[in-house]
């Protein structure tokens, strides 16, 4: 042990000389000669240094005199600095995002009705009781901290020492183009991010041995009770864990046993959660999207839903930055195949016939499963939600692809600089989108605020002068010119940046309440008195972005972007 202490106190160059030229610190702690580990002492040192007793093939997350805790702290701070580029533009936009409009006015909870009871508990605790109040940016700052911890967990599990490799690998989870919607909610963002943390922890931080198998399933249940779609992240990292085991030449039996354990955790968690959902899900919206297809219809439904989700991705992930993500995924799948082939060639002679069959099947199915896993159980729903917020698995797929590519570079002894350069390419595109998205939120917020303030004054004037008692909307207020320009480059912004002032959407009425409009907002289907040709009505008020007509005691707000073929001007624009 005295010689080991000497090794700990040497510089990195001395370590390399002490082990063998070019081997590095990892070779000292865990060296594999002909796919066999070092002696008991060396393996024990690696386990103690890494503080992950189930992962005896891992290298420590520190070098020289750096302790594991200090190394993790440095990595955590680096991840915070990097992910601030994603979260800060959203915080700076300071826009009430859809549901935030209602919660900021009345402080309701309501997540339990959607099958998310722990979200109620978390937000009520964070707000120090009911009703909720707008405490932004605290929830989004907590999201930043939680996402940085995800990077730490991934760095520990896959032995990504140094400051930047783990944060860059985990960045697509935080900067997932679709997850930007989740981060935009002032109230709900932290509950969905907590679900991500539980899902990642279940896959990479909790072993499958003994009672920990149940602990991992419990973490998955917590994730489901916070936000159901986060389970897809668990599925992806469970698959990556198996592929990484091939990279480190784990014994086939142990590799297959762990993969089976992850499957047991997922099935058990989903079975228990179904009981919870049956007791909590209420309301038309939640109930309509909770139905599962029958066993006989499952294959066709899975293929159809998978097609629709990938079509949504390909239709919104466009231009150069989107192409980089798709190339990353393709290369990651190829890397998984290369790692599997290398593993089979090295282990083939020592495998039994049954083990050979099982490993070949796993090597073929694992890359295919990675393509399906981003939507997991959503594929079994009769009416799944096709919206950015449920597509958490896509970011995990990009992250997994980067991790597999990194593993391949490590196998060919690529330098650390080349590894970081490879990881930085898609990271830059994702950060670029996040910044453009935050700026676009600000543009849309300011644009709708000006229209809503003017419209509030006009409705108040008509209420006093013309006796209107309610109002309705036709069309939508549209987007400002700069945002339209942004959409031409980032098509996903069309789905990410909502137009609140839109006909037949209840949130339009809630937004106008923020500007003092107390009149009832009427949405279709209209009563008989309102079944008229709104476009043919004479205008009472004409503004740049909207015009107002009157039918009885109802004010009809006709936005410039409506289906009216003509605008009859009865007054001059302001």
């Amino acid at each position: 042990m005295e010689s080991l202490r000497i090794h700990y106190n040497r510089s990195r160059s001395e370590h390399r000389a002490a082990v063998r030229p070019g081997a590095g610190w990892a070779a000292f702690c865990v060296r594999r000669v002909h796919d066999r580990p070092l002696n008991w002492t060396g393996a024990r040192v690696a386990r103690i240094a890494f503080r992950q007793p189930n992962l005896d093939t891992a290298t420590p997350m520190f070098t020289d005199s750096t302790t594991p805790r200090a190394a993790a702290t440095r990595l955590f701070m680096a991840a915070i600095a990097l992910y601030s580029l994603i979260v800060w533009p959203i915080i700076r936009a300071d826009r009430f995002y859809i549901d935030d409009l209602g919660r900021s006015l009345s402080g309701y909870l309501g997540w339990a009705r959607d099958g998310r009871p722990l979200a109620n508990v978390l937000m009520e605790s964070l707000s120090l009781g009911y009703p909720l109040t707008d405490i932004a940016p605290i929830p989004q700052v907590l999201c930043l901290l939680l996402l940085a911890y995800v990077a730490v967990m991934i760095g520990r599990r896959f032995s990504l020492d140094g400051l930047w490799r783990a944060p860059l690998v985990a960045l697509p989870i935080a900067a997932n183009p679709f997850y930007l919607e989740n981060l935009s909610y002032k109230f709900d963002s932290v509950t969905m991010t907590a679900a991500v943390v539980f899902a990642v922890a279940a896959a990479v931080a909790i072993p499958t041995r003994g009672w920990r198998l149940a602990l991992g399933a419990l973490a998955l249940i917590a994730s489901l009770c916070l936000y159901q779609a986060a389970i897809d992240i668990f599925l992806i990292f469970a698959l990556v864990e198996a592929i990484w085991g091939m990279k480190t030449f784990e014994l086939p039996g142990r590799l297959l046993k762990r993969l089976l354990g992850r499957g047991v955790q997922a099935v058990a968690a989903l079975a228990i959660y179904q009981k919870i959902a049956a007791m909590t899900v209420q309301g038309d919206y939640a109930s309509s999207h909770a139905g599962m297809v029958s066993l006989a219809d499952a294959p066709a439904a899975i293929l159809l839903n998978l097609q629709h989700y990938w079509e949504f991705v390909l239709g919104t992930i466009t231009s150069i930055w989107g192409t980089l993500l798709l190339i990353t995924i393709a290369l990651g799948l190829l890397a998984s195949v290369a790692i599997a082939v290398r593993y089979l060639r090295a282990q083939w002679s020592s495998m039994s016939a049954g083990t050979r069959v099982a490993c070949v099947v796993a090597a073929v199915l694992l890359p295919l499963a990675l393509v399906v896993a981003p939507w997991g159980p959503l594929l079994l729903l009769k009416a799944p939600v096709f919206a950015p917020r449920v597509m958490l698995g896509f970011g995990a797929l990009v992250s997994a692809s980067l991790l597999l590519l990194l593993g391949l570079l490590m196998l060919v002894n690529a330098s650390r600089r080349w590894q970081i350069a490879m990881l930085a390419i898609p990271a830059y595109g994702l950060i670029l989108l996040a910044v453009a998205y935050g700026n676009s939120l600000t543009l849309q917020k300011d644009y709708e605020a000006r229209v809503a303030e003017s419209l509030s004054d006009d409705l108040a004037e008509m209420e006093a002068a013309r006796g209107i008692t309610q109002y309705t909307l036709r069309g939508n207020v549209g987007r400002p010119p700069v945002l339209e320009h942004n959409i031409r480059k980032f098509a996903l912004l069309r789905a990410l940046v909502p137009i609140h002032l839109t006909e037949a959407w209840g949130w339009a009425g809630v937004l106008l309440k923020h500007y003092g409009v107390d009149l009832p907002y009427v949405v279709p289907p209209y009563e008989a008195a309102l079944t008229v040709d709104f476009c043919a009505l004479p205008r009472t008020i004409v503004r740049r972005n909207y015009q107002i007509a009157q039918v009885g005691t109802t004010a009809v707000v006709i936005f410039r972007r409506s289906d009216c073929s003509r605008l009859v001007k009865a007054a001059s624009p302001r």
Side-chain angles (χ1 to χ4, degrees):
M1 291 303 293
E2 183 63 25
S3 63
L4 292 179
R5 293 192 187 98
I6 295 173
H7 277 298
Y8 273 99
N9 293 323
R10 290 180 180 176
S11 67
R12 181 174 298 186
S13 61
E14 289 173 325
H15 277 305
R16 290 172 178 162
V19 180
R20 60 177 173 84
W25 174 257
F28 169 73
C29 287
V30 181
R31 184 194 304 167
R32 290 188 174 274
V33 180
H34 301 298
D35 308 330
R36 291 183 305 222
L38 269 176
N39 57 32
W40 178 86
T41 303
R44 183 170 180 266
V45 170
R47 287 196 295 270
I48 294 172
F50 191 64
R51 295 189 176 182
Q52 291 282 352
N54 65 308
L55 306 172
D56 32 357
T57 60
T59 56
M61 229 179 71
F62 64 95
T63 56
D64 304 325
S65 60
T66 306
T67 64
R69 186 182 297 275
T73 301
R74 291 174 59 203
L75 192 156
F76 182 72
M77 298 306 295
I80 289 177
L82 185 62
Y83 299 169
S84 294
L85 299 175
I86 302 159
V87 179
W88 168 245
I90 298 174
I91 293 176
R92 184 176 62 86
D94 192 29
R95 188 190 189 197
F96 286 121
Y97 196 89
I98 309 179
D99 298 53
D100 294 339
L101 291 168
R103 287 196 171 96
S104 59
L105 286 176
S106 55
Y108 62 87
L109 293 165
W111 292 292
R113 295 165 55 88
D114 296 331
R116 303 168 56 198
L118 282 186
N120 275 18
V121 175
L122 176 58
M123 283 308 300
E124 191 169 1
S125 301
L126 191 61
S127 297
L128 298 181
Y130 182 85
L132 303 182
T133 52
D134 177 17
I135 56 173
I138 290 177
Q140 288 155 317
V141 170
L142 290 176
C143 289
L144 175 61
L145 301 180
L146 291 172
L147 291 169
Y149 184 64
V150 167
V152 173
M153 288 192 289
I154 291 176
R156 282 176 174 170
R157 171 61 183 90
F158 299 105
S159 310
L160 306 180
D161 58 334
L163 278 184
W164 297 112
R165 289 194 301 174
L168 286 170
V169 165
L171 183 137
I173 298 176
N176 176 358
F178 304 103
Y179 183 63
L180 294 176
E181 175 178 346
N182 306 66
L183 289 175
S184 302
Y185 291 94
K186 291 189 175 186
F187 293 87
D188 204 7
S189 57
V190 68
T191 64
M192 292 184 279
T193 304
V196 170
V197 172
F198 276 112
V200 173
V204 306
I206 303 176
T208 55
R209 296 190 311 210
W211 62 272
R212 294 181 181 87
L213 185 71
L215 182 62
L218 188 62
L220 267 186
I221 294 170
S223 178
L224 288 164
C225 290
L226 284 163
Y227 192 57
Q228 301 91 330
I231 192 174
D232 303 332
I233 298 177
F234 168 84
L235 298 177
I236 289 172
F237 277 99
L239 297 172
V240 170
E241 184 183 45
I243 299 171
W244 197 265
M246 294 181 182
K247 171 190 171 290
T248 55
F249 287 120
E250 289 192 35
L251 294 175
R254 181 176 179 181
L255 190 152
L256 294 171
K257 184 178 178 181
R258 182 189 295 137
L259 188 60
L260 178 62
R262 296 302 184 197
V264 169
Q265 286 177 323
V267 172
L270 285 169
I272 294 173
Y273 175 72
Q274 275 195 314
K275 303 294 183 183
I276 297 173
M279 295 184 292
T280 57
V281 172
Q282 301 175 14
D284 294 338
Y285 179 83
S287 300
S288 64
H289 293 290
M292 306 284 287
V293 298
S294 64
L295 188 60
D297 297 333
I302 289 174
L303 290 176
L304 182 63
N305 290 334
L306 184 63
Q307 176 187 345
H308 288 166
Y309 276 117
W310 274 110
E311 285 177 349
F312 185 86
V313 169
L314 297 176
T316 53
I317 302 295
T318 57
S319 72
I320 296 176
W321 73 276
T323 303
L324 288 174
L325 296 184
L326 297 176
I327 290 174
T328 299
I329 292 173
L331 292 177
L333 296 177
L334 291 176
S336 71
V337 174
I339 291 171
V341 170
R342 170 180 174 270
Y343 179 78
L344 291 174
R345 289 182 60 185
Q347 299 286 346
W348 191 261
S349 60
S350 62
M351 294 180 183
S352 65
T355 303
R356 287 177 179 177
V357 172
C359 286
V360 169
V361 171
V364 173
L365 292 183
L366 283 174
L368 297 176
L370 283 173
V371 177
V372 178
W375 295 281
L378 294 175
L379 300 176
L380 294 171
L381 297 177
K382 291 180 180 178
V385 176
F386 292 98
R389 64 181 176 274
V390 303
M391 302 177 69
L392 306 185
F394 180 81
L397 177 60
V398 178
S399 178
S401 300
L402 288 175
L403 183 60
L404 295 174
L405 283 172
L406 181 62
L408 205 58
L409 291 178
M410 294 164 68
L411 289 176
V412 299
N413 293 322
S415 70
R416 185 72 60 84
R417 291 181 179 179
W418 280 109
Q419 294 174 25
I420 293 176
M422 182 273 296
L423 296 172
I425 293 172
Y428 177 72
L430 290 170
I431 292 173
L432 202 68
L433 172 64
V435 173
Y437 172 64
N439 294 338
S440 298
L441 280 179
T442 301
L443 290 168
Q444 187 67 29
K445 180 193 74 171
D446 294 344
Y447 179 70
E448 290 196 54
R450 290 192 296 270
V451 174
E453 186 175 358
S454 173
L455 181 55
S456 173
D457 292 339
D458 288 337
L459 289 176
E461 180 182 330
M462 291 186 69
E463 183 181 12
R466 292 178 168 270
I468 63 167
T469 59
Q470 59 186 13
Y471 70 97
T472 190
L473 306 179
R474 295 290 293 178
N476 65 72
V477 74
R479 299 181 177 91
V482 176
L483 178 51
E484 291 286 2
H485 167 75
N486 293 347
I487 289 173
R488 284 193 288 272
K489 183 169 185 177
F490 301 105
L492 182 58
L493 294 178
R494 190 177 300 277
L496 288 177
V497 182
I499 301 175
H500 291 145
L501 288 176
T502 298
E503 67 173 305
W505 202 22
W507 296 118
V510 181
L511 173 63
L512 289 173
K513 285 185 178 180
H514 281 255
Y515 292 88
V517 178
D518 295 325
L519 294 170
Y521 172 46
V522 182
V523 298
Y526 295 121
E527 60 190 47
L530 289 176
T531 56
V532 297
D533 182 6
F534 292 139
C535 298
L537 294 172
R539 301 323 193 240
T540 303
I541 295 176
V542 176
R543 304 295 181 225
R544 181 177 301 277
N545 294 293
Y546 63 87
Q547 303 176 12
I548 304 179
Q550 185 171 350
V551 179
T553 59
T554 302
V556 181
V557 180
I558 304 172
F559 289 113
R560 186 173 57 182
R561 290 174 173 83
S562 66
D563 56 1
C564 291
S565 59
R566 64 185 187 279
L567 297 177
V568 181
K569 297 185 178 181
S572 299
R574 177 181 294 173

